[in-house]
């Protein structure tokens, strides 16, 4: 009945639990977000449906079992460049646009990553802004538990 999966660090000797995946929070971001933010990427052994829908929205940092926050994202990757305008996604009942990304998420135990980004996002219907942790499922090992 409970089909919840866990995302764990994919590195041997670590495999620290990062978060339990709520499938309602899975979104798709454009493929090039990986290259843009130089996210860690490994696809082997992963569920196909999860690799197509490739990020997990985590509104509250306390929803993680373990996660680290690393250095600021270089300013060259920020701002109002035309590039960033294409990073939008549907979540909940809204369409969101990434306005600005602040920091990287890394494994709390072994510091490997980045496995995600912390971003200011804007609701395209009412312009409300929030901070979301966007966790890259492709950067992690996904398993049933
Ligand atoms: Zn780790």
């Amino acid at each position: 009945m409970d089909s919840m999966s866990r995302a764990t660090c994919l590195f041997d000797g670590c495999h620290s639990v990062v978060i339990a995946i709520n499938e309602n929070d899975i979104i798709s971001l454009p493929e090039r977000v990986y290259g843009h933010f130089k996210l860690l990427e490994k696809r082997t052994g992963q569920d196909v449906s999860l690799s197509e829908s490739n990020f997990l929205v985590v509104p509250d940092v306390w929803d993680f079992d373990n996660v680290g926050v690393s250095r600021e994202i270089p300013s060259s990757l920020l701002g109002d460049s035309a590039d960033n305008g294409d990073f939008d996604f549907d979540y909940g009942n809204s369409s969101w646009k990434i306005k600005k990304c602040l920091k990287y998420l890394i494994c709390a135990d072994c510091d490997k990553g980045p496995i995600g980004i912390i971003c200011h996002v804007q609701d395209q219907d009412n312009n409300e802004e929030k901070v979301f942790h966007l966790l890259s499922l492709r950067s992690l090992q996904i398993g049933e538990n």
Side-chain angles (χ1 to χ4, degrees), residues 8-11 13-16 107-112:
T8 59
C9 178
L10 55 76
F11 285 93
C14 184
H15 296 308
S16 180
C107 175
D109 284 329
C110 71
D111 291 343
K112 293 214 168 67

Side-chain angles (χ1 to χ4, degrees), residues 65-140:
D65 288 292
N66 289 288
V67 80
V69 175
S70 83
R71 58 191 161 72
E72 313 258 337
I73 292 177
S75 58
S76 60
L77 299 182
L78 300 177
D80 300 319
S81 71
D83 266 3
N84 283 352
D86 290 334
F87 294 147
D88 46 22
F89 58 95
D90 294 325
Y91 174 68
N93 295 319
S94 299
S95 293
W96 302 85
K97 185 180 287 288
I98 292 179
K99 296 287 286 184
K100 187 175 185 180
C101 294
L102 306 174
K103 296 194 174 179
Y104 291 114
L105 299 173
I106 58 173
C107 175
D109 284 329
C110 71
D111 291 343
K112 293 214 168 67
I115 58 174
I117 45 183
I118 303 176
C119 300
H120 281 283
V121 296
Q122 186 176 46
D123 187 326
Q124 295 304 282
D125 295 328
N126 60 19
N127 292 336
E128 180 187 5
E129 290 199 25
K130 292 187 174 183
V131 174
F132 281 172
H133 302 73
L134 300 173
L135 184 68
S136 162
L137 296 177
R138 243 185 243 172
S139 307
L140 296 158

Side-chain angles (χ1 to χ4, degrees), residues 42-80:
K42 186 179 181 186
R43 303 173 107 159
T44 54
Q46 296 214 351
D47 184 274
V48 171
S49 62
L50 285 180
S51 66
E52 284 173 354
S53 305
N54 45 31
F55 281 78
L56 188 72
V57 174
V58 185
D60 187 337
V61 71
W62 298 107
D63 292 335
F64 288 99
D65 288 292
N66 289 288
V67 80
V69 175
S70 83
R71 58 191 161 72
E72 313 258 337
I73 292 177
S75 58
S76 60
L77 299 182
L78 300 177
D80 300 319

